[in-house]
Amino acid sequence: MVRNFFCFCGVRLFLFSSDLGIHSGKRAEVRRSMSAAALNETNGRKEAQHLGEGLVPLNGDNAQDGRLQSKTALHAAVLGSPDFDTVLETESGNGPVEPVDEFNTEESPVPKRTIDDLRFPPPHLADIRWRLFEMKDSIELKIDEFERYWPYTDNVWVRQHRAGTDRSGRVTTDYYACRLQRPTYTPRKADATRPDGKPLRKKQTREGGTCQMRIKTVRTEGACPKYSITKVGDHEHTHDLDHMDRIKRNTVVMEIARAEVMKGFMPASVFTIMSEDEEKLAAAGGRYLNRNDVRNASQVWRRTHGDQLAVHPGYKYDHGNGIVRDVEVAPAVNPPSIVPTSISMLDPALALTPVIPAPPAVISAPTPTLAPNTVSFPASSRPFLDAYLPPPTPPSPLILPHITLSYATSLDSFLAIAPSTRTALSGPTSKALTHYLRTRHDAILIGVGTALADDPTLNARLPSAGGYGGLGWDGQPRPVVIDPSARWVLTPQSAILRAVAAGRAKAPWVIIAPGCSIAPARLELLRHYGGKYLGLPDLDKGYRLSWEAVFRALAAEGIRSVMVEGGGVVVNELLQPEYARFVSSVVVTVAPTYLGTGGVVVCPTRNVDVMGRPRPVVRFRDVRWEQVGDDVVMCGKFGLVDGEGMAAGMSGVLDGEALVEGGEAAARFTT
C-alpha cells in the first residue's frame, strides 16, 4: 500500500509539474498582476481616482475582491482553467478584474453627476478650472473640494505614476502630466476591425509630446485632510484650456449627459437641455460638446433601451431644427417629476439616480450661507492701503519677506489695559480692515505672550477667505508664534486648532530657541494638525532670538510676506533702530479711547546720538491718515532719523532687497 501511495503521489506530482510547465509563462504574468494588485491595495487605499481615467480606488470591499481575484487567477494558471485568459485581463494599476460585458447594463456605473451640477455649478468654477490648468501658484484644497473640482480638469491632466506614501502613512504623492505629453499615436489596421458587429472607429493620427508641463498632488491626512497641488519643473503649457476642451471632454460633462440619457431621454434632447445655458456649459468645460458626445457617453446603456427613449417634457422634435422648446406647452411650476414613471424604471440602476425635477420658469441658484463671524471690508475702502502692502510679484531671489507691522492702540499708546488681559480696541470696520490685511500676507506673527493671553484663532474671516466662502485655504495666513521656551501648550480645545479642524485656519508654526526640548506628544499633536516647530540655529549676541534669523527662516519656508500683529515685546523690539531695517511698512489703528496707566504700552527704548543727547527713535515717511469707522488708521513706511531729527530714506531690507552690511547702515543708526 505504501508503494502504491507513493506511485500515486508521483503521478500527481508529474501531472502537476507538467501543467505548471505549460502555463509557466502565464503564471509569471499572473504574479506580476498580483504584485500590481498588492501595490495598489497599499498605495490606493487613501487616494480617490478620477472617473475620467476609468479607475477606482482599491480599498475596503473591492480591496478584498482584488485579493480574491488574484488567488483565482493563480489557481486558474496552475489547473489550466479554460477561463485563464479571461481572468487574467487587468486594468492598469488595479489588479485582476473580470472583463466588462458592454451589453450587461448591471456593469454600467451609476452616474454620480446630474443636470443640477450644470444648472448650479460649484462656485467660481471657470476661475478654478483655469487655476488648476495654469498652476502659477501652489493650491491647497480640502478633500471634498478636490473631489468636486478635479474631475472638471481630468481632460487636461493624466496621472503618470504614484511616488507612494511616506513612512508615516499620512502623505501620498501622485504625479500628473498634461495629456498632450503622451506619445504620438498612429492608427493600425487592426483598429479598423471590431467584433460583434460594433461600429468602426474613425481613429486619426494624434501628434504627441507637444506639451511637457507636469504637476504633483500630495494628499496629507490629519485633523483636516488636504491636497496640495504644485507645479513640477519650469515647463509651461504650449496651449490654452480652450484647446483641451476642444479635443477632450471632461468626466463631469460626459457623466451629466449619460445620467440624463439613462433617465430615458433621447441624446438629441439631452444635448438641447445641456446647451440652453452656454455660459455655464463653457465654464464646466463643455463649450465644444456635441450630439455625438452625448451618444458616445450613453452608447452602452442605449443598446438595451434605445427603443424606449423620449423627448424631455416641454420640448418637441422640430424637423430641420432638432429638439426645441415647445412654446405651446407651458412648463409646470413645480411638477412632481421630469421623468414619467414608465420611463424612470427602465433600468434598476436608475433607482439610485436622483430624479431631477423640471425647471420652473426661472431657475435660481441656492443662496450661499456665510460662515459664523464672517466680516466684510468693502472693496471701495481698500485702495489707500495698496502702497503699503506686499508687492504682487515678490523679488527673486527672495532673501527676506515683506514685513508689515500692524497693531491697534489707544490714544495714550496702550495695546492692552493690563498685562495678560485681552483688550478690544478696534471698532467693527477697522477690525474688518485687519482681516483684509491678513488675507494679503502669507503669514501672521505674534509673540508667545499674546498667544497665552488671547487664545487667538489667527485667521482671516472675509467671505473670500478659505473656510468662509473661498477655495481651500486661499487668503488664510500661516500663524507664526515666537515662543523661545515652548511655553505655549496647544490642545485640541485651543481656538486655533479648532479652527484648523473646521478648515477655517492654517496650523501654526512655532519658532523655538536652539536646544529647546519638546515632548514627543506635543510634536505629534501639532504635526497631526499640519503645523510644526521651527528651531533656529543660533541666538544673537545678546542671547536672544535673532529677528534676521527668524525672517530668513520664514523666507526659506516659502513665506513671502509677514504681518506682525504683536504683542508689546515684539512691537517695541521691531521699532528699535537695530531691527527697524527689516520692517517695510506700518499700519496702525488708533482707537478714540484712553486706557490709563498700568497697561501694555508701545514705547521703544529711547535712542541717543553720539553725544548722549536723546533723539527720536523712528519717524515714518510717506504717511497717510484715513478714518475707518470711529477709528483712524495711519499707514507709513519706515525711515531712519538723521542728525537733525528729520526722516531719511532707509537703506537695508525693503521688500526682500539685499542687506546693507556694516558701514553706511551702522553709521545711520548711530549718527
Side-chain angles (χ1 to χ4, degrees), residues 129-136 213 231 236-237:
R129 284 193 76 230
W130 177 255
R131 288 181 59 186
L132 290 173
F133 167 81
E134 193 178 30
M135 288 305 303
K136 289 295 185 183
M213 186 166 175
K231 182 181 174 182
E236 300 287 346
H237 281 299

Side-chain angles (χ1 to χ4, degrees), residues 237-407:
H237 281 299
T238 58
H239 52 87
D240 57 12
L241 181 58
D242 188 72
H243 176 72
M244 299 306 299
D245 290 341
R246 182 185 298 109
I247 66 175
K248 180 74 174 178
R249 314 293 177 259
N250 63 56
T251 296
V252 177
V253 172
M254 298 298 280
E255 271 207 338
I256 293 173
R258 181 158 56 92
E260 281 297 292
V261 174
M262 287 181 67
K263 294 175 188 175
F265 296 122
M266 298 171 56
S269 182
V270 172
F271 173 74
T272 300
I273 292 291
M274 295 181 65
S275 303
E276 284 189 327
D277 193 329
E278 295 182 357
E279 183 177 350
K280 289 183 178 179
L281 184 60
R287 181 189 303 274
Y288 300 98
L289 181 74
N290 55 53
R291 292 179 179 84
N292 285 335
D293 294 327
V294 181
R295 294 189 187 99
N296 293 336
S298 59
Q299 183 178 10
V300 174
W301 188 87
R302 286 187 295 108
R303 287 201 178 108
T304 54
H305 303 95
D307 57 342
Q308 306 176 52
L309 302 181
V311 177
H312 283 80
Y315 292 80
K316 66 178 181 179
Y317 176 75
D318 185 15
H319 183 70
N321 295 317
I323 307 299
V324 297
R325 185 182 291 275
D326 190 353
V327 295
E328 299 179 358
V329 179
V333 177
N334 290 304
S337 171
I338 194 171
V339 183
T341 306
S342 59
I343 295 179
S344 62
M345 296 307 293
L346 287 175
D347 187 5
L350 293 178
L352 303 177
T353 305
V355 176
I356 307 303
V362 178
I363 301 177
S364 58
T367 303
T369 57
L370 295 178
N373 301 323
T374 303
V375 297
S376 179
F377 187 64
S380 59
S381 302
R382 302 175 183 179
F384 80 95
L385 294 166
D386 291 342
Y388 310 95
L389 295 176
T393 303
S396 181
L398 181 67
I399 299 177
L400 291 175
H402 177 108
I403 307 298
T404 301
L405 184 60
S406 178
Y407 57 91

Side-chain angles (χ1 to χ4, degrees), residues 443-599:
I444 175 175
L445 185 147
I446 63 170
V448 63
T450 302
L452 292 172
D454 294 351
D455 186 24
T457 305
L458 299 178
N459 65 349
R461 301 203 303 267
L462 291 185
S464 61
Y468 292 85
L471 180 70
W473 285 266
D474 282 357
Q476 290 294 354
R478 173 70 65 180
V480 178
V481 178
I482 306 296
D483 187 10
S485 303
R487 292 189 293 142
W488 189 35
V489 180
L490 288 164
T491 68
Q493 287 71 42
S494 299
I496 191 169
L497 295 190
R498 293 202 309 270
V500 171
R504 294 174 179 169
K506 290 184 177 180
W509 293 350
V510 183
I511 296 182
I512 56 177
C516 180
S517 178
I518 302 174
R522 292 177 61 184
L523 291 171
E524 179 63 22
L525 175 67
L526 190 55
R527 188 181 298 116
H528 175 69
Y529 282 86
K532 59 184 175 182
Y533 288 90
L534 295 176
L536 296 184
D538 49 24
L539 301 173
D540 63 8
K541 296 180 180 179
Y543 298 100
R544 299 175 303 176
L545 290 183
S546 166
W547 282 109
E548 181 178 348
V550 168
F551 296 141
R552 283 184 179 274
L554 293 178
E557 294 286 341
I559 299 297
R560 300 167 297 180
S561 56
V562 181
M563 178 179 174
V564 180
E565 285 199 10
V569 174
V570 172
V571 172
N572 285 322
E573 279 200 7
L574 289 178
L575 287 175
Q576 295 294 335
E578 58 181 311
Y579 299 122
R581 70 184 191 275
F582 299 118
V583 181
S584 307
S585 58
V586 60
V587 179
V588 179
T589 300
V590 182
T593 182
Y594 285 96
L595 295 183
T597 59

Side-chain angles (χ1 to χ4, degrees), residues 71-130:
K71 294 178 181 178
T72 304
L74 181 59
H75 289 309
V78 172
L79 301 178
S81 169
D83 295 331
F84 173 81
D85 293 324
T86 301
V87 180
L88 188 64
E89 293 184 11
T90 62
E91 298 235 4
S92 175
N94 285 284
V97 296
E98 295 289 347
V100 177
D101 182 4
E102 293 189 28
F103 295 94
N104 185 357
T105 57
E106 293 181 358
E107 298 294 339
S108 298
V110 178
K112 297 182 179 180
R113 306 281 180 166
T114 68
I115 195 67
D116 268 359
D117 290 284
L118 188 60
R119 290 173 177 161
F120 310 122
H124 314 295
L125 176 57
D127 293 338
I128 294 172
R129 284 193 76 230
W130 177 255

Side-chain angles (χ1 to χ4, degrees), residues 607-627:
N607 187 23
V608 296
D609 60 16
V610 292
M611 302 298 295
R613 295 173 298 187
R615 53 173 294 185
V617 177
V618 64
R619 182 180 179 88
F620 301 114
R621 59 184 176 86
D622 299 335
V623 175
R624 176 164 181 171
W625 296 84
E626 191 82 14
Q627 182 171 350

